[in-house]
Amino acid sequence: MSGVVRKTGGRRLPAASPSLVVGLVITAIFVAMALVSLVWTPYEPTALNILNKLEAPSLAHPLGTDFFGRDVLSQIMAGAQVSIVVAVVAVLVGAGIGVPLGALAAARGGLVDDVVMRSTDLAFAFPALLTAVIITALAGPGAVNAIVAIGIFNIPVFARLTRGAALGLWKRDFVLAARCAGKSDLAITIEHVLPNCTAVLVVQATIQFALAIVAEAGLSYVGLGVQPPQPSWGKMLFDAQTYIYTAPWLAIFPGLAITIAVLGLNLLGDGLRDALDPKVRRAR
Amino acid sequence: MSRLLEIENLRVEIPALTGAAPILEGVDIGLDRGEKLGIVGESGCGKSMTALAIMGLLPGAARATGAIRLDGRDLLATSEREMQGIRGRRIAMVFQEPMTALNPVKTIGAQIAESLILHLRLPKAQAAERARALLDRVGLPGPRFSLDLYPHQLSGGQRQRVVIAIALACGPDVLIADEPTTALDVTIQAQILDLLEDLVAEMGMALVLITHDLGVVEETCERMMVMYAGRVVESGRTADVFAHMAHPYTRGLFAASPRSALLTSAREPSGRKRRLAAIPGQVPDPRARPPGCAFAPRCPRAQDDCRAAPPPLAPLGAPGRADHAAACLHPHPPSGMAGDVAASAEGAR
């Protein structure tokens, strides 16, 4: 018997690239911020204090106050909650429906495949954000409808990605071997096809997560997302417009929050893509 | 008398625009427990198609007619659902490429246990125990080869042992090995073949060994079948076929293998290095096979009647070699082997 067997057993952790580390840190900070805001914020985010309105950043209010005297830092922290919850649920909805659809299309082929794929073509024909605007405009504004609207345009993304990855896997020998072992198509999909898709799906999920944050901010900006007084980054940006010359921090800080969160998630996605790429990882 | 595996007049065709293209035609196989049958032929001659037809896993558009009977039950008439209960349980398969036949994201233990859980409904702990025993049996003893290893942590030969363990998990009646050693090192090849032979003897299975290596067949199988362009061109007991290769294609295959070179001197009298005799030309496209014997265009012995109609597989009628048959109108007469092959190789050049 030849060959050296590594005793370590399980998978080794992928070597961390700079983008993975930076993305992970930024994302962790935002998640931590949202979690902390559940129990503590410097001020009550929705507390009005007209006497202190439009204050520039200071020690008392590190990021200043808005027209109603609300603390901007507290609002951004609480706004992170909304962004994260809406984005997570929207991505879960999209993946939860899109992944099974894509897997079904790849496993069955033929007419099923055509119907699923032409439906995603149809969905892609409409600009995503416009679709979300129409859905929330029809169903009424609010966090739940924003989640549904953003989730719906995530479905075709996951359906296509899963189908593409699964089609390649269905041609692999180990799937033929599984069929020779008497497994049904469903069992093969669950046991062999989907586990081999996880890497691409995780990467795509982080990217969709970033897009969902932008989409949520966009919907809130036009007044179709989270409703006041619930703080939200998009809503803060909208309110800041009026004071852009007198109190620029009102626009700068929520804008930075969105930008950095999205940047962090994209870096995380890139880092994960490199780390999970079997061609890079399987250097034996 | 019902044999374990019986294939009668199997024909597989793929519908094409220009009419159905036959991939396999008139294939007959009979196999009993403990028997080892070798199927040889070059790429594209229908060896693997025969295997897939037995498993009921022909590619989408392909249609099979004839009969494939396992213990008297016609597999071609069996529903896909019931076939799932037969695959892996009664007929198992070992693949050529051990690098890709294992799922890269699951441990080898889980992959062996899977079919035990699926077919024998074993509880997890018991399945893991059996998986351990199977790994030990195929030569991957614990604790060095833990059930928690991933395929990428094993070498090619070790992976092929895992593939064999998976195939044998449920104690199948028929094991189909499709080029099980082609992708392996020469030194590992012999070990894997020995392992397969031992296991067949031990478990009383029937083995169908598909290969393009005549040497492997000679060492392993008591009966053999040579296929060309979807038809069986010569079949019989391995010893008989090797003693008298009647079909020119069988001779061509043998002359093209390095083994034949060992039988003759490595250098010609002139001192020039002897080269292996390749068979000129290539296997005809199934959509455009010649009307007569498919081998005729490449055959040094072909005559006009060869091009008229495909010759049937007929017994050669040699005394004591009743099984030996060839599909050839002008078979080589029986004669001394080694020099004869070398001579015909010369002729083919």
Side-chain angles (χ1 to χ4, degrees):
Chain A
M1 189 123 327
S2 65
V4 182
V5 174
R6 222 172 263 115
K7 285 269 178 64
T8 46
R11 275 170 270 197
R12 281 171 306 151
L13 283 176
S17 61
S19 62
L20 182 67
V21 173
V22 175
L24 210 54
V25 167
I26 293 178
T27 309
I29 289 174
F30 271 92
V31 172
M33 207 165 78
L35 289 177
V36 169
S37 75
L38 288 174
V39 291
W40 177 83
T41 49
Y43 296 85
E44 186 61 32
T46 53
L48 308 185
N49 186 352
I50 304 293
L51 289 178
N52 292 333
K53 72 171 187 177
L54 295 178
E55 248 179 47
S58 64
L59 279 180
H61 296 281
L63 303 184
T65 62
D66 70 358
F67 181 72
F68 299 107
R70 292 176 297 195
D71 181 49
V72 172
L73 176 60
S74 304
Q75 280 195 301
I76 286 180
M77 286 174 69
Q81 280 176 37
V82 174
S83 290
I84 289 173
V85 169
V86 170
V88 165
V89 180
V91 170
L92 286 181
V93 167
I97 300 175
V99 169
L101 271 182
L104 175 77
R108 280 275 162 272
L111 189 63
V112 179
D113 190 20
D114 285 343
V115 169
V116 173
M117 284 304 111
R118 293 302 78 77
S119 309
T120 65
D121 286 347
L122 195 69
F124 274 126
F126 297 97
L129 201 53
L130 191 64
T131 317
V133 168
I134 293 170
I135 292 171
T136 41
L138 290 177
V144 174
N145 288 338
I147 288 173
V148 172
I150 299 168
I152 284 178
F153 73 68
N154 270 317
I155 294 173
V157 175
F158 282 101
R160 283 206 158 179
L161 187 71
T162 307
R163 173 184 176 267
L167 273 185
L169 289 165
W170 273 100
K171 296 196 181 74
R172 299 275 293 274
D173 278 356
F174 64 82
V175 167
L176 184 61
R179 301 183 72 187
C180 284
K183 292 219 184 93
S184 64
D185 286 359
L186 180 67
I188 291 174
T189 298
I190 293 171
E191 292 169 18
H192 296 278
V193 174
L194 289 183
N196 280 290
C197 293
T198 40
V200 280
L201 288 176
V202 165
V203 170
Q204 192 64 39
T206 55
I207 290 164
Q208 291 309 114
F209 193 86
L211 289 176
I213 284 181
V214 175
E216 188 276 326
L219 285 179
S220 298
Y221 178 83
V222 295
L224 292 170
V226 177
Q227 293 302 296
Q230 170 84 298
S232 131
W233 295 348
K235 189 76 187 142
M236 290 171 77
L237 275 179
F238 177 77
D239 291 339
Q241 282 183 129
T242 326
Y243 311 103
I244 190 93
Y245 294 112
T246 50
W249 58 88
L250 289 184
I252 290 171
F253 293 118
L256 270 181
I258 295 172
T259 312
I260 296 174
V262 169
L263 177 72
L265 284 165
N266 278 319
L267 286 176
L268 182 64
D270 276 359
L272 282 176
R273 191 203 314 273
D274 295 345
L276 296 176
D277 188 343
K279 278 172 231 129
V280 179
R281 183 180 56 154
R282 208 155 301 142
R284 275 172 294 140
Chain B
M1 182 198 76
S2 162
R3 309 184 78 172
L4 175 61
L5 180 70
E6 205 167 19
I7 297 181
E8 243 171 56
N9 199 21
L10 175 66
R11 179 185 164 90
V12 172
E13 54 184 38
I14 292 180
L17 289 176
T18 51
I23 305 296
L24 292 177
E25 266 184 293
V27 175
D28 293 293
I29 294 177
L31 203 58
D32 291 316
R33 257 166 238 281
E35 239 181 333
K36 287 169 284 190
L37 169 71
I39 303 182
V40 274
E42 64 197 298
S43 311
C45 66
K47 295 170 297 181
S48 297
M49 271 296 162
T50 310
L52 290 179
I54 298 173
M55 298 300 290
L57 289 175
L58 287 169
R63 292 283 161 268
T65 54
I68 301 175
R69 282 189 288 272
L70 182 70
D71 270 338
R73 175 185 193 177
D74 191 352
L75 298 185
L76 290 180
T78 303
S79 73
E80 167 63 21
R81 240 196 118 71
E82 285 175 290
M83 277 308 289
Q84 284 173 7
I86 290 174
R87 283 181 213 133
R89 177 77 188 83
R90 304 213 51 205
I91 312 177
M93 198 157 164
V94 172
F95 290 90
Q96 170 173 357
E97 196 44 86
M99 296 297 176
T100 57
L102 293 172
N103 185 339
V105 302
K106 302 191 96 177
T107 64
I108 57 174
Q111 297 190 55
I112 299 172
E114 261 171 11
S115 61
L116 290 168
I117 295 167
L118 178 73
H119 291 294
L120 306 184
R121 311 239 166 264
L122 290 186
K124 263 201 159 143
Q126 227 177 314
E129 230 168 82
R130 282 279 284 278
R132 179 70 265 162
L134 279 160
L135 266 193
D136 290 342
R137 179 62 197 89
V138 297
L140 300 177
R144 194 164 114 90
F145 296 97
S146 142
L147 292 176
D148 296 328
L149 290 175
Y150 284 88
H152 74 268
Q153 293 169 308
L154 300 174
S155 72
Q158 290 163 353
R159 284 187 218 191
Q160 194 62 301
R161 287 171 192 265
V162 174
V163 172
I164 291 172
I166 293 173
L168 297 180
C170 299
D173 299 310
V174 180
L175 180 66
I176 303 174
D178 189 355
E179 309 249 9
T181 58
T182 308
L184 303 175
D185 252 287
V186 200
T187 47
I188 309 296
Q189 282 186 8
Q191 294 176 8
I192 295 289
L193 285 175
D194 285 347
L195 175 66
L196 277 177
E197 262 191 285
D198 290 350
L199 289 166
V200 166
E202 200 174 298
M203 305 177 68
M205 298 178 286
L207 174 72
V208 178
L209 182 66
I210 296 173
T211 176
H212 57 247
D213 188 340
L214 278 168
V216 167
V217 170
E218 188 189 13
E219 273 163 37
T220 316
C221 305
E222 58 262 18
R223 288 199 305 129
M224 67 181 283
M225 230 169 77
V226 182
M227 291 188 74
Y228 183 75
R231 285 173 177 273
V232 179
V233 296
E234 186 160 0
S235 70
R237 287 189 304 152
T238 308
D240 296 346
V241 175
F242 270 82
H244 168 210
M245 293 183 179
H247 199 284
Y249 178 65
T250 314
R251 295 205 168 205
L253 266 188
F254 186 75
S257 72
R259 297 173 59 80
S260 76
L262 294 178
L263 296 180
T264 56
S265 69
R267 291 194 181 272
E268 290 173 2
S270 61
R272 191 163 61 94
K273 194 159 185 270
R274 189 185 288 278
R275 303 185 58 177
L276 290 178
I279 305 176
Q282 49 212 265
V283 184
D285 189 297
R287 284 163 299 188
R289 288 208 180 118
C293 173
F295 188 58
R298 303 169 72 183
C299 181
R301 295 170 71 87
Q303 290 168 32
D304 284 346
D305 52 350
C306 293
R307 298 179 186 100
L313 187 67
L316 291 166
R321 296 171 177 178
D323 282 347
H324 192 186
C328 185
L329 296 174
H330 308 285
H332 282 275
S335 64
M337 200 51 231
D340 196 40
V341 165
S344 80
E346 288 296 302
R349 187 99 47 79

